[in-house]
Amino acid sequence: MKLLKSLQTLVFVVFFAATLMADRGMGDLRTAPPEGVTTDQIIQKFAAKEKEFKDARDHYTFRQTVIVNTLEDGTVDGEFRQISDIVFDDHGKRAENVTFAPANTLTRVGMTQSDFDDIEKRLPFVLTSDDLGQYQVNYVGQQKIDEIDTYVFDVAPKQLEKNKRYFQGRIWVDAQDFQIVVTEGRNVPDIHKKNKEDLSPKFTTYREQIDGKYWFPTYTIADDNLHFNTGDVHIREVVKYTNYKRYGAEHTIHYEGEVTEATPTPQKKK
């Protein structure tokens, strides 16, 4: 997000009060090595599953709801909101159909192309076997999230290439399905130049099992202070991915998590 310098009349908007939960159902982190499998085998397994998941999601339609707010002393003073249906056109190509986009009232920051790219590609972070060479993946331990046993890894880019963005943070991998169920981190690098600043907040993305097989992203929340050269800006961002439906199928899998005060935790759908 870039800082806007123009001083316009602030439009006050009332909407939900989403909060990051201090306790997200996570158990104690156990740093002992995994039993019966090496960490490298786990990485190879979940990277292969992630590639399968990525290919599968490319064949689903879904609704994407984006809400970005700036806050001053806890009060919302600007909002960007957009609802899009991610569908297929008559030629079977992926397309985005914006169905709702009220006036953008953000005055202290502006949405950049990198923000929209983050929403599309990096908030629902996927670490496939094709991407492993770009990242350093370190085993952290094992942790229970609600009823799900997970392996925990820290992920960081091996090097930053010009005009490319990467994920840096922590992932939780289902010990049974070998797919990422929670992602927490930020997109890097931030840009701090004299005439250009483009910063991204820390975020958490939760996935849910869709069609009894794939862990698809259903909810992302970011609540962070962006440190611009001229001062901090409090950002809150929520992205929801709902109504997954396989292209050409006759049924729809609905994710019923409207924006509430409770942050969803991963759960397996029957």
Side-chain angles (χ1 to χ4, degrees), residues 162-197:
K162 187 177 180 180
N163 299 325
K164 290 188 67 175
R165 288 174 63 75
Y166 303 84
F167 169 77
Q168 182 172 316
R170 179 165 289 188
I171 60 175
W172 286 258
V173 177
D174 185 337
Q176 177 179 337
D177 292 341
F178 292 98
Q179 292 185 60
I180 298 173
V181 295
V182 178
T183 302
E184 186 172 83
R186 61 188 309 115
N187 296 311
V188 296
D190 282 342
I191 297 174
H192 286 279
K193 295 182 179 180
K194 183 177 181 180
N195 297 319
K196 179 182 179 181
E197 290 189 279

Side-chain angles (χ1 to χ4, degrees), residues 101-201:
N104 180 3
T105 61
L106 295 175
T107 59
R108 292 188 289 145
V109 298
M111 299 289 290
T112 66
Q113 185 57 49
S114 62
D115 292 321
F116 292 110
D117 290 342
D118 284 348
I119 291 169
E120 178 185 354
K121 302 173 183 178
R122 285 175 285 272
L123 296 186
F125 176 66
V126 181
L127 183 56
T128 71
S129 51
D130 297 331
D131 303 322
L132 277 180
Q134 303 177 49
Y135 287 93
Q136 183 69 40
V137 184
N138 296 321
Y139 174 78
V140 177
Q142 300 170 60
Q143 195 168 22
K144 205 173 187 69
I145 306 180
D146 286 345
E147 78 281 6
I148 303 172
D149 292 313
T150 69
Y151 298 114
V152 187
F153 293 88
D154 282 341
V155 178
K158 291 181 178 179
Q159 62 181 16
L160 299 177
E161 297 184 15
K162 187 177 180 180
N163 299 325
K164 290 188 67 175
R165 288 174 63 75
Y166 303 84
F167 169 77
Q168 182 172 316
R170 179 165 289 188
I171 60 175
W172 286 258
V173 177
D174 185 337
Q176 177 179 337
D177 292 341
F178 292 98
Q179 292 185 60
I180 298 173
V181 295
V182 178
T183 302
E184 186 172 83
R186 61 188 309 115
N187 296 311
V188 296
D190 282 342
I191 297 174
H192 286 279
K193 295 182 179 180
K194 183 177 181 180
N195 297 319
K196 179 182 179 181
E197 290 189 279
D198 198 347
L199 315 183
S200 298

Side-chain angles (χ1 to χ4, degrees), residues 26-259:
M26 290 189 175
D28 294 333
L29 179 64
R30 296 175 285 111
T31 58
E35 297 180 1
V37 63
T38 67
T39 57
D40 186 61
Q41 287 174 330
I42 295 172
I43 293 171
Q44 296 301 323
K45 283 186 176 183
F46 83 68
K49 282 283 190 177
E50 284 289 286
K51 185 174 182 178
E52 181 182 347
F53 145 76
K54 182 177 183 295
D55 292 341
R57 190 169 183 256
D58 287 342
H59 292 84
Y60 276 76
T61 62
F62 57 92
R63 171 159 289 189
Q64 178 177 280
T65 302
V66 179
I67 305 172
V68 179
N69 286 105
T70 54
L71 297 92
E72 181 71 32
D73 296 327
T75 300
V76 172
D77 62 12
E79 177 177 276
F80 170 86
R81 181 186 292 257
Q82 180 175 287
I83 299 176
S84 305
D85 287 331
I86 311 302
V87 296
F88 294 87
D89 63 20
D90 294 338
H91 302 286
K93 293 183 179 181
R94 205 64 176 270
E96 180 178 2
N97 179 23
V98 177
T99 61
F100 181 68
N104 180 3
T105 61
L106 295 175
T107 59
R108 292 188 289 145
V109 298
M111 299 289 290
T112 66
Q113 185 57 49
S114 62
D115 292 321
F116 292 110
D117 290 342
D118 284 348
I119 291 169
E120 178 185 354
K121 302 173 183 178
R122 285 175 285 272
L123 296 186
F125 176 66
V126 181
L127 183 56
T128 71
S129 51
D130 297 331
D131 303 322
L132 277 180
Q134 303 177 49
Y135 287 93
Q136 183 69 40
V137 184
N138 296 321
Y139 174 78
V140 177
Q142 300 170 60
Q143 195 168 22
K144 205 173 187 69
I145 306 180
D146 286 345
E147 78 281 6
I148 303 172
D149 292 313
T150 69
Y151 298 114
V152 187
F153 293 88
D154 282 341
V155 178
K158 291 181 178 179
Q159 62 181 16
L160 299 177
E161 297 184 15
K162 187 177 180 180
N163 299 325
K164 290 188 67 175
R165 288 174 63 75
Y166 303 84
F167 169 77
Q168 182 172 316
R170 179 165 289 188
I171 60 175
W172 286 258
V173 177
D174 185 337
Q176 177 179 337
D177 292 341
F178 292 98
Q179 292 185 60
I180 298 173
V181 295
V182 178
T183 302
E184 186 172 83
R186 61 188 309 115
N187 296 311
V188 296
D190 282 342
I191 297 174
H192 286 279
K193 295 182 179 180
K194 183 177 181 180
N195 297 319
K196 179 182 179 181
E197 290 189 279
D198 198 347
L199 315 183
S200 298
K202 182 178 179 180
F203 68 90
T204 303
T205 295
Y206 299 87
R207 295 191 192 179
E208 186 175 348
Q209 199 176 58
I210 301 298
D211 283 350
K213 187 174 183 180
Y214 300 112
W215 286 91
F216 285 177
T218 53
Y219 187 88
T220 295
I221 186 167
D223 197 325
D224 201 4
N225 288 304
L226 302 184
H227 304 295
F228 292 99
N229 290 333
T230 55
D232 291 357
V233 178
H234 184 184
I235 295 291
R236 181 181 292 149
E237 181 174 350
V238 169
V239 183
K240 297 188 295 175
Y241 313 89
T242 61
N243 295 354
Y244 279 106
K245 181 179 180 180
R246 186 169 180 83
Y247 180 57
E250 295 181 353
H251 64 282
T252 303
I253 302 297
H254 293 277
Y255 171 64
E256 300 297 343
E258 294 300 320
V259 179

